[in-house]
Amino acid sequence: MSSALTFSDEQLTAYLDGEADAALCTQIESALERDAALAARLQALEVDAAAIRATFDALLLSAPPAPAAVDAAESGRMRVSEAETSERAALRDVTSQDRASRDATSQGGSAGPSRARRHDGVVTPTRPVRALAWAACAAGFALLGGLGGWLAAGSQAQSWDSAAATYHALYVRQTLAPVIAEPARQARELARVSSALGRPLNAADLRSLKDLAYKRAQVLGYEGRPLIQLAFLSRDGVPIALCIIRAAGSSGSGDVATARYDGLNAARWSKDGYDFLLLGNKDAEQLRTYAEHFRAKL
Amino acid sequence: MRDRSPAQTDVRHGLADVFPRLWRYCLTLTANRADADDLAQAACLRAIERAHLFEPGTHLDRWVFTIAHRIWLNELRAARLRRGGGLAPIEDVDLIDEKADTEMNFSARELLRKVLRLPEAQRVVVLLVYVEGYAYKEAAAIIGIPIGTVMSRLAAARKKLAAQDSEQASKRA
């Protein structure tokens, strides 16, 4: 008969953090069924990791600017050897995303932790979540079409904006945090994406908001029309998406209007025959400010 | 001025992206805003100097976090102790840049203070594992300790934080 003392605090911590092996998990879980003292010990180890993470993420806003030696503004002067570096970087992005989707605990890959973690202070175990599998979407799969179909089963097909919002609702900080904003890769990607959209997009414009780090662009699709998603991560770790699609028929209002999609705030506008949609878990007025900025720039 | 090598360019670009997280890590290490600024700056410069040692395609953030940790342990920490500053608990009023419209409410500040008042060894693993989301093995590699030590520091941190929580709860009751 195992008692609460069979397991060390370290083992229980590993269990709560999803780092315990399967055998240990099974042992702890079966012991929990019989042993109230063990449950009490787990309770004594509970922390609200989500709250800690949120607080520390807000701290990112207080970070000073990077030192001058870290030249983020470098662009244009591409020599042959720099071009080679960018090729390697581009390959790294692609291969790292493939690897990330195959194995959440792989060593290779772009910057950031190799898997998402949850430590919500709940007694039940958390397993490593393969959140980085979503990074595989950056390879440009027409996920949106497939997802729209799945969600719309048995009902009216969703509008493009509503489908985009549904997709964006899946985004978390971990989706974009590992994406390195390497300028040469971004420029190449943006050229490809602009060409698909039929409208020029400039990386410098996308990087013009201090609060939002421009990460990447994807070509998605909706009813045979290219739907572009530009992904940003705010300084406090909130994923923001700017979606652009050629307007079908008559365009909406030129002015920025705020909207809500199932609890997600958004801002919309139209310009030159294209519809724009800015999505993110920020308050409506903040999104409106970003939207006005992008509407002027793009 | 010497032309930048491709490796340096790679590292510079990556550092711009990683800098806020690097600074946050330095703040957790030093528990002092001024020292955090210095340490983050020093780590960037060292990383650029050593860019030729950085393997492209590997994790830039872990690499520069490791650099920052080593500078802290081998250089800055000793200097601060000599200055007589000690490793006193952080004043949270220094932490939050009031100008940066941060909506941190009272309980969030409380929580931040609680974590930053943990012993250095514990708060660093809390940051690496619970905030940055590194696995035990990755965190262990960054700070150069065995995985078992990561586990025991986390267990100790959990106990301390959970105990403070229940202490507060019982006071309110």
Side-chain angles (χ1 to χ4, degrees):
Chain A
M1 182 68 129
S2 61
S3 73
L5 296 175
T6 308
F7 305 108
S8 66
D9 283 338
E10 283 78 0
Q11 286 177 310
L12 297 181
T13 296
Y15 171 72
L16 289 170
D17 292 343
E19 291 261 0
D21 64 32
L24 181 58
C25 285
T26 309
Q27 287 173 347
I28 292 177
E29 279 154 20
S30 56
L32 269 174
E33 280 165 25
R34 303 185 295 275
D35 196 340
L38 182 57
R41 281 188 65 205
L42 279 169
Q43 189 126 18
L45 290 169
E46 262 180 43
V47 294
D48 189 350
I52 293 174
R53 214 162 39 241
T55 298
F56 272 78
D57 281 348
L59 200 55
L60 291 171
L61 290 171
S62 297
V70 173
D71 187 344
E74 170 132 305
S75 66
R77 288 181 296 129
M78 290 280 292
R79 299 167 304 150
V80 172
S81 50
E82 281 188 51
E84 271 175 14
T85 306
S86 337
E87 284 305 325
R88 265 186 293 141
L91 273 175
R92 182 209 320 158
D93 268 343
V94 173
T95 54
S96 69
Q97 283 157 359
D98 278 343
R99 266 186 249 133
S101 66
R102 254 188 277 127
D103 179 2
T105 58
S106 78
Q107 280 302 311
S110 53
S114 66
R115 55 185 166 155
R117 304 178 62 78
R118 289 193 299 237
H119 320 273
D120 297 331
V122 181
V123 173
T124 50
T126 57
R127 293 280 179 261
V129 173
R130 290 169 194 239
L132 287 180
W134 291 111
C137 295
F141 300 132
L143 176 72
L144 194 58
L147 196 61
W150 170 59
L151 291 166
S155 64
Q156 294 277 22
Q158 281 182 303
S159 57
W160 76 267
D161 48 307
S162 164
T166 304
Y167 174 49
H168 190 72
L170 297 171
Y171 271 58
V172 291
R173 186 182 70 103
Q174 298 282 48
T175 315
L176 296 174
V179 177
I180 305 181
E182 205 273 298
R185 187 268 301 165
Q186 288 182 326
R188 268 196 316 279
E189 184 179 78
L190 210 50
R192 174 175 54 79
V193 161
S194 300
S195 149
L197 181 65
R199 198 178 196 286
L201 291 166
N202 184 295
D205 290 337
L206 298 180
R207 285 194 223 108
S208 58
L209 268 175
K210 200 169 67 97
D211 211 26
L212 299 186
Y214 168 61
K215 291 289 193 169
R216 67 174 186 215
Q218 301 192 77
V219 176
L220 305 167
Y222 181 82
E223 288 184 353
R225 282 180 286 154
L227 165 64
I228 300 313
Q229 183 226 42
L230 305 166
F232 304 79
L233 197 61
S234 71
R235 274 196 296 160
D236 58 348
V238 177
I240 305 281
L242 175 57
C243 298
I244 314 176
I245 192 170
R246 199 165 23 87
S250 62
S251 214
S253 154
D255 294 332
V256 170
T258 53
R260 255 173 105 72
Y261 295 89
D262 208 13
L264 179 67
N265 280 334
R268 311 175 49 169
W269 70 98
S270 297
K271 192 171 173 181
D272 305 332
Y274 284 85
D275 292 333
F276 295 76
L277 176 68
L278 186 71
L279 296 157
N281 193 8
K282 287 264 182 189
D283 67 56
E285 283 317 298
Q286 178 63 275
L287 283 183
R288 179 190 288 279
T289 307
Y290 294 152
E292 302 280 10
H293 176 95
F294 282 130
R295 180 166 151 260
K297 286 269 182 183
L298 300 176
Chain B
M1 190 199 221
R2 197 187 307 168
D3 272 352
R4 292 171 187 160
S5 68
Q8 282 205 342
T9 305
D10 238 0
V11 167
R12 274 172 212 267
H13 285 147
L15 282 176
D17 219 28
V18 155
F19 188 79
R21 285 168 54 217
L22 171 65
W23 176 82
R24 178 175 68 179
Y25 178 59
C26 293
L27 186 66
T28 306
L29 278 170
T30 61
N32 173 293
R33 208 193 152 102
D35 285 347
D37 292 356
D38 287 347
L39 181 57
Q41 171 127 9
C44 283
L45 293 176
R46 187 72 53 90
I48 292 168
E49 270 170 41
R50 303 230 172 116
H52 57 284
L53 296 174
F54 175 67
E55 175 82 42
T58 61
H59 303 257
L60 181 71
D61 60 344
R62 294 184 211 177
W63 185 67
V64 72
F65 277 26
T66 305
I67 289 175
H69 192 254
R70 286 210 201 107
I71 296 175
W72 170 239
L73 283 187
N74 300 336
E75 302 168 40
L76 298 185
R77 198 175 187 271
R80 177 150 124 197
L81 286 168
R82 278 199 302 274
R83 274 203 321 263
L87 297 167
I90 190 165
E91 283 303 321
D92 63 342
V93 74
D94 292 336
L95 281 180
I96 318 302
D97 183 356
E98 298 296 341
K99 298 184 289 286
D101 203 19
T102 320
E103 276 183 24
M104 213 185 267
N105 59 24
F106 175 74
S107 65
R109 282 174 201 263
E110 266 301 297
L111 184 54
L112 187 61
R113 206 156 49 90
K114 264 191 235 170
V115 174
L116 290 173
R117 283 183 184 217
L118 289 171
E120 182 187 313
Q122 290 175 25
R123 64 179 188 250
V124 173
V125 292
V126 166
L127 176 103
L128 289 175
V129 178
Y130 298 153
V131 177
E132 288 284 340
Y134 287 112
Y136 285 3
K137 186 171 159 192
E138 293 159 353
I142 290 172
I143 54 186
I145 58 176
I147 294 185
T149 310
V150 170
M151 254 190 278
S152 54
R153 290 181 185 183
L154 283 174
R158 274 180 174 271
K159 276 196 287 200
K160 194 163 280 186
L161 291 169
Q164 287 173 356
D165 270 352
S166 57
E167 206 182 281
Q168 281 186 318
S170 62
K171 277 192 197 147
R172 274 188 236 117

